[in-house]
Every structure is written in structure tokens, then in C-alpha cells.
Amino acid sequence: MTILRGIKWPYVLIALLAAAAAVVGMMLRPQSVTASTSAAAKEKPGATERIKLNPPPKLFTDAEIATIGKDAAAQRKKADALFAQWKATHGIARDDKAFAVWAAKQVPAPPAAARRTAELRQVQKLARTRTPAGTKAATWLELNGKKDIWKLYLHDQRELIPAQQGEAEKLQLKSALKLAKTISDQLAAKDKQSAPFVLDPSMRPEKHIKPGAKGPYSYPSRHATRSAAAVTFLSALSPHRAADYEWMRAEVLYSRLYMAGHVTDDLTAGTLLGDLIGDYELAVDGH
């Protein structure tokens, strides 16, 4: 994995994981399980199958994603310090409802109008530099960056561990992703910060935004929240691969700026929230 990134072929990784996961899975699982899984996949393809059918194009360069990657990584210490406060008060018992209320309160208020306007201008500037290749990369990341990429990474890990442990980790990741969606959606509906392409429909004409529209809302970013929750969780399971997970998170976040779905503050707020969710999921399940 590191070698692939080092020679600037990071986009090959996901395609290889999708193919390898399918092959290794057939080798390690009983035939009856493989057959039933295949039958289920025909009805509703899973993340691995979806990415095999739609493999990644060439993604963004390390230089392009460096800034947003650094901004996202800076949320880690903040999240850990905040979660320590939750843990000291509530322990490690699962209480999703109470945690969701608490976590939402830890997300900073949306930025002032002047700051958001400045960030909108940065997104508008970036939109003017779009290329067909960049748009293709961003579109793929937008489609797969909420769930499928992270499920595929976990699938790759699960092939080499006991089945019972792998199934438990699958359920934990699913729980983290679901909680990330729930809290980020609730905050977006409350804060009502219009997405950049709503404020300037010329950046995404295919969205057909009606005059006077306020939504979709973008603070905090759902992509960022889910990505951060997944990266925190997956990195605890395989620390030696943390840099690769963080790299993919930066790819996903940059794609949201590139296609005018979010400004930077949307993404850092989502990352902080996702890191908190990842910490919570690890704590309540004893990692």
C-alpha cells in the first residue's frame, strides 16, 4: 500500500482491494457461505462489488490535498480532549441518544458571514480551475466517500482475522457511519448554512437550484463526518495503515471543495464531529 502511494498510484489501491477482497474471501470462507453471499450480492451489491463495477479514476495529487488534509488532522487532538470529558462523566456504556446530544454541542457554531464569504470565494476560485480529469475524480469520491470506501478498507482487514471478530467490527463501523449521518444531518438542519453551489449556482449548474433556494445545507459536512469516524475507527484496528486512511480522507474532503459542496469550515467541523464519534464507538466496544 505504501509503495503504491509512493509512486503516485494511490488511485490503484481501491481497485486492487476490491479485487483482492473478492479472491481472498473465496479462499478463506466455506463454499456454502460464499455461495449465499454471492446470491445476496446479486440482489443488492455490497461496497466491494460496487467499487469493482465502478473502479476509481486517477485521484488528486498529494500536493492538491495537502492543505485540507492538514486541516482535518488538526481536529484529532481537539476531539480526543473533548471525548475525555465525556468518558469521565459517562464512562464507556453505550448511550447513543445522550452521546448524540452531547457531541452536537461540541461542534463550533457556524462561522461568521464575513468568514464564510471569504471561504466561498476560495471555492469559486478553485471551481474555475476544474478539469475533466479532476471532475471525474471528485465525482467518484463524492459517490463512494460516504460509506463504500471505508467498508472496503474494513473488508480488506476482515479477511485476515477470525470471522466472529470481523463481523463485530463490521457492525461497529456501520454503527459509527450511521451515527455520523444522524448527528451531521441534525446539525445541518438546525444551522441552515447553504452549500456553496446553492449560494452560487453557476458552480454546479447540473443541480438546477431554484432562485431563492436555501438548501441543501452544508455545515457540518456529512462526507467529512463519516470519513473521520471511519478513519478514527479503522486506524485503531490497524495503526500501521493510518496514514493511508488519512490520505483517502483528504481525497474525499478535497473533492467536496472541488465540486463546491462545502467550504473548509464545513469540512473541519465535520471532521471534529466524526473524530468524536470514532472515539465513542471504540470506547463503548472496548478497543
Side-chain angles (χ1 to χ4, degrees), residues 92-257:
I92 58 174
R94 179 176 286 279
D95 187 344
D96 290 358
K97 185 175 181 180
F99 174 77
V101 172
W102 175 84
K105 293 179 180 178
Q106 311 314 307
V107 178
R115 179 179 174 90
R116 195 160 182 89
T117 297
E119 290 193 329
L120 175 63
R121 288 176 181 152
Q122 294 173 351
V123 172
Q124 290 171 321
K125 181 178 179 180
L126 180 60
R128 291 193 289 271
T129 71
R130 285 183 197 152
T131 64
T135 299
K136 186 175 182 180
T139 301
W140 188 89
L141 288 160
E142 181 176 357
L143 176 65
N144 295 284
K146 286 182 182 178
K147 295 188 294 184
D148 284 355
I149 288 171
W150 312 112
K151 288 182 176 180
L152 181 55
Y153 274 130
L154 182 61
H155 188 290
D156 178 52
Q157 291 184 14
R158 288 172 58 211
E159 297 298 346
L160 302 177
I161 61 178
Q164 186 175 2
Q165 179 184 343
E167 187 62 26
E169 291 175 356
K170 177 181 178 181
L171 293 175
Q172 290 159 21
L173 177 62
K174 182 178 180 180
S175 174
L177 293 173
K178 181 179 179 180
L179 198 55
K181 179 182 184 303
T182 297
I183 303 175
S184 59
D185 283 356
Q186 289 173 349
L187 280 170
K190 177 177 72 72
D191 292 327
K192 292 182 169 57
Q193 298 295 301
S194 300
F197 67 79
V198 175
L199 297 172
D200 180 0
S202 69
M203 292 193 288
R204 294 292 296 271
E206 78 280 7
K207 293 288 189 179
H208 305 293
I209 300 299
K210 296 180 180 179
K214 300 297 182 182
Y217 301 122
S218 67
Y219 186 93
S221 162
R222 185 191 299 174
H223 275 84
T225 306
R226 283 180 158 178
S227 294
V231 168
T232 299
F233 180 74
L234 292 170
S235 295
L237 302 185
S238 296
H240 63 288
R241 298 178 64 178
D244 294 296
Y245 303 143
E246 291 166 2
W247 162 79
M248 180 55 78
R249 177 181 62 191
E251 287 280 349
V252 172
L253 300 191
Y254 184 76
S255 76
R256 308 306 293 132
L257 294 172

Side-chain angles (χ1 to χ4, degrees), residues 1 4-15 56-57 59-62 153 247-248 251:
M1 183 179 299
L4 287 175
R5 294 185 68 243
I7 57 177
K8 307 301 180 185
W9 292 344
Y11 57 95
V12 175
L13 173 60
I14 296 297
L59 301 183
F60 297 105
T61 66
D62 288 353
Y153 274 130
W247 162 79
M248 180 55 78
E251 287 280 349

Side-chain angles (χ1 to χ4, degrees), residues 43-54:
E43 297 177 7
K44 186 179 180 181
T48 300
E49 186 65 24
R50 286 192 292 269
I51 291 181
K52 283 174 62 180
L53 294 172
N54 179 28

